[in-house]
Amino acid sequence: MVDPDAAIYEASREALVRYATTLVGPSSAEDVLSAVVLRVLARRRLAELDDPRAYLFRAVLNEARSSKRGPRHVGLPEDVGVHMDFTDHAHLVAAVLRLPLKQRAATYLVYWVGHSVAEAAALMGVRQGTVKRYLFDARRSLRRELS
Amino acid sequence: MNDPDLFRTAYAELDRLSPSAPSWDDVTTVHLSAAPATPHVRRAWNRTASRPRFAMSALAAIAAVGVVVTVGVTVERGARGTSSIAAPASTKAGADAPYLLPSAVPAGFAAVPRLPENGPGTGDVDSTISVMTDGDRQVIVLAMPTIAAQGLLDSFPLESAVQVAQRSQGDAALLVFARGVSRSVVQELVATVQLSTDHGRVTMSGINDPLRTRNASVTAFASHPFEGPSVSYASPARGGLRLLNVGVESGTTLNPLYRLLAGPDNMFAAKARGNDVNLKHLDILERNGYTILATSNGDVSDKDFRAFVAGLHDVDAATWRAAFGDLLNTPAS
């Protein structure tokens, strides 16, 4: 019998690791995701949560914030910077990665994943208005960066 | 491009760099694992049990006794999508290899064909490995995919590897790396490890598949079912490798090592936890003729790590033997 928690995790894990990559970079994404799952499991079952997927997304964001504060964090944009030679849009990616974490999360969820503002708000654990503000600030900051 | 398109373009690039997500089993293996096999090791384990423990990915380290003469690590960035990482090591010196350790890689190495990359059903470590040889020695070239090379090198204790070698009376060796997956960044990092072959040819398998390795001397791998702090064991059919690891991690991290190194007679690695490539702790124990390298990447406290190491020190020869029994008695050919 499949563990319900495993099924929940498996259904979202690829999306979660991509989300984590956006937040902390590819080198730390797996660690963030692993830490999230184990942190959750230490307290409760995923299957007991009302919206475990949203819970996991929020947890990834929180873990990303924690890891960025940590002394051993391999931070952005440096850790992604080593990959920049291999992208066609290095300057653009670097500029996006300089955005604050929550702005990055909001723009990723809305502009890239395609969530609505309401859905992104649920995944981030904030109000819709907050997401809108993140999007506005991110657009403005990016324009400023690129100009 | 309008603003959202700019973001989409950037995130499309980032998506390409994204690693594969760890599987449920990977994440939970250690979390759900049983107690360690022996009271002493269990005691050491329990001292750190209140701390997060496990590591999907991260680093590993190896100390070896009586075998390896020199250690060299070269890290450089390779070109994505190419397979040219097996260039002679001597060409890696200079400005393009700022992390080259002095006198690490001798000239005259010739490239031999790369070992296979990740094949179907070969697990979750998506790495490449190359081998160079000058006839007497071989150089292992690892391309570790998802490590951000600069970030790694900022925190990676290459000097610790040297220290290991020195403390092992010039015998030993090295090191490592870490996390699997994502072909998109394969060859970001190339680590060249120079090993002597005094105890027979240094050999290694395709990093992903010990059972399908091209080298017969590392085909007979086995994972010993100790749990808790993971204990794994690799024994080549010949070649003298006896590699043991006691660690608090899923096994994913260190498995490549088991598949990588041959030559060192006895190795024992204890790993408290890894969550990034930063060796905060490193201690070497000598016990029962074995070199035991205890490592932690810093996610446990000094206190906990010392307690863990102290627990290992407490393990007497009889207990080691009770714990690992026939494994330690396996003669090195």
Side-chain angles (χ1 to χ4, degrees):
Chain A
M1 180 178 171
V2 178
D3 184 335
D5 284 355
I8 291 168
Y9 172 75
E10 293 291 344
S12 299
R13 67 183 175 117
E14 291 300 337
L16 288 166
V17 80
R18 288 198 295 272
Y19 186 46
T21 298
T22 299
L23 300 176
V24 299
S27 65
S28 298
E30 292 171 277
D31 290 338
V32 163
L33 186 51
S34 297
V36 161
V37 173
L38 290 170
R39 206 181 296 277
V40 171
L41 290 177
R43 297 171 185 164
R44 60 202 301 185
R45 302 293 303 270
L46 288 172
E48 295 171 350
L49 300 167
D50 291 337
D51 188 347
R53 186 171 186 272
Y55 187 91
L56 288 171
F57 269 83
R58 290 197 295 273
V60 165
L61 179 56
N62 290 334
E63 184 69 23
R65 294 173 65 196
S66 298
S67 68
K68 282 182 71 66
R69 288 194 292 266
R72 294 175 302 279
H73 174 68
V74 181
L76 290 172
E78 290 80 9
D79 75 330
V80 177
V82 299
H83 305 291
M84 289 296 103
D85 289 349
F86 311 121
T87 73
D88 297 326
H89 305 281
H91 181 57
L92 174 60
V93 174
V96 169
L97 290 174
R98 282 194 290 271
L99 295 175
L101 202 65
K102 289 184 175 180
Q103 291 181 21
R104 230 183 301 148
T107 52
Y108 177 81
L109 293 171
V110 174
Y111 294 144
W112 177 242
V113 182
H115 286 303
S116 67
V117 169
E119 290 167 337
L123 294 177
M124 294 179 66
V126 299
R127 296 177 180 176
Q128 292 185 44
T130 305
V131 172
K132 290 178 182 175
R133 178 164 57 81
Y134 288 150
L135 295 175
F136 175 81
D137 289 345
R139 291 195 304 267
R140 184 178 57 184
S141 297
L142 185 62
R143 278 197 298 268
R144 188 182 306 135
E145 282 273 348
L146 296 178
S147 64
Chain B
M1 265 191 278
N2 61 31
D3 292 342
D5 283 341
L6 291 173
F7 283 103
R8 291 184 190 106
T9 300
Y11 291 132
E13 295 285 350
L14 282 173
D15 258 8
R16 290 199 303 115
L17 302 177
S18 178
S20 296
S23 72
W24 178 258
D25 287 342
D26 286 341
V27 173
T28 59
T29 295
V30 172
H31 180 69
L32 303 176
S33 64
T38 71
H40 286 82
V41 177
R42 185 182 303 121
R43 197 173 305 136
W45 162 256
N46 287 340
R47 286 170 181 161
T48 62
S50 62
R51 298 285 175 175
R53 56 179 193 270
F54 49 73
M56 284 306 307
S57 54
L59 84 120
I62 286 180
V65 175
V67 183
V68 181
V69 175
T70 55
V71 176
V73 178
T74 302
V75 181
E76 66 175 15
R77 288 162 56 177
R80 179 168 60 88
T82 70
S83 57
S84 60
I85 60 173
S90 57
T91 66
K92 295 175 180 175
D96 291 336
Y99 301 98
L100 183 68
L101 298 180
S103 305
V105 181
F109 281 81
V112 298
R114 289 199 314 164
L115 292 171
E117 294 186 23
N118 205 24
T122 56
D124 55 1
V125 179
D126 184 5
S127 305
T128 60
I129 182 170
S130 299
V131 184
M132 292 179 285
T133 179
D134 66 350
D136 294 325
R137 291 167 295 184
Q138 291 182 320
V139 172
I140 303 166
V141 180
L142 293 175
M144 290 296 123
T146 58
I147 293 177
Q150 186 61 55
L152 170 70
L153 292 169
D154 284 346
S155 57
F156 197 61
L158 295 182
E159 65 277 11
S160 294
V162 175
Q163 190 178 38
V164 168
Q166 290 170 341
R167 291 180 61 178
S168 300
Q169 299 178 324
D171 291 331
L174 129 340
L175 246 312
V176 202
F177 51 92
R179 28 193 140 218
V181 291
S182 186
R183 288 179 185 281
S184 63
V185 288
V186 163
Q187 296 171 346
E188 292 288 346
L189 175 68
V190 175
T192 302
V193 183
Q194 174 193 343
L195 302 172
S196 81
T197 57
D198 294 350
H199 285 227
R201 187 69 49 174
V202 173
T203 55
M204 67 291 304
S205 73
I207 197 165
N208 296 299
D209 188 2
L211 299 179
R212 298 197 312 169
T213 178
R214 293 177 181 179
N215 191 312
S217 70
V218 285
T219 54
F221 279 82
S223 291
H224 200 277
F226 287 113
E227 292 182 308
S230 65
V231 178
S232 302
Y233 175 67
S235 175
R238 57 184 172 81
L241 169 64
R242 290 192 294 176
L243 172 60
L244 291 171
N245 165 55
V246 171
V248 187
E249 45 80 40
S250 69
T252 302
T253 301
L254 293 182
N255 280 343
L257 295 177
Y258 312 148
R259 305 166 191 180
L260 172 65
L261 285 172
D265 286 331
N266 308 304
M267 289 182 285
F268 203 116
K271 181 166 174 294
R273 182 184 182 240
N275 203 24
D276 57 28
V277 279
N278 180 13
L279 259 185
K280 181 178 178 183
H281 304 298
L282 185 150
D283 200 359
I284 298 174
L285 302 83
E286 303 293 337
R287 177 66 61 188
N288 197 30
Y290 285 71
T291 292
I292 303 165
L293 180 64
T295 65
S296 163
N297 69 354
D299 285 318
V300 296
S301 68
D302 289 348
K303 179 182 176 183
D304 284 345
F305 179 74
R306 287 169 185 159
F308 184 79
V309 171
L312 294 177
H313 275 293
D314 289 343
V315 179
D316 59 25
T319 304
W320 285 118
R321 197 153 300 283
F324 305 114
D326 292 341
L327 301 182
L328 300 188
N329 291 323
T330 303
S333 59

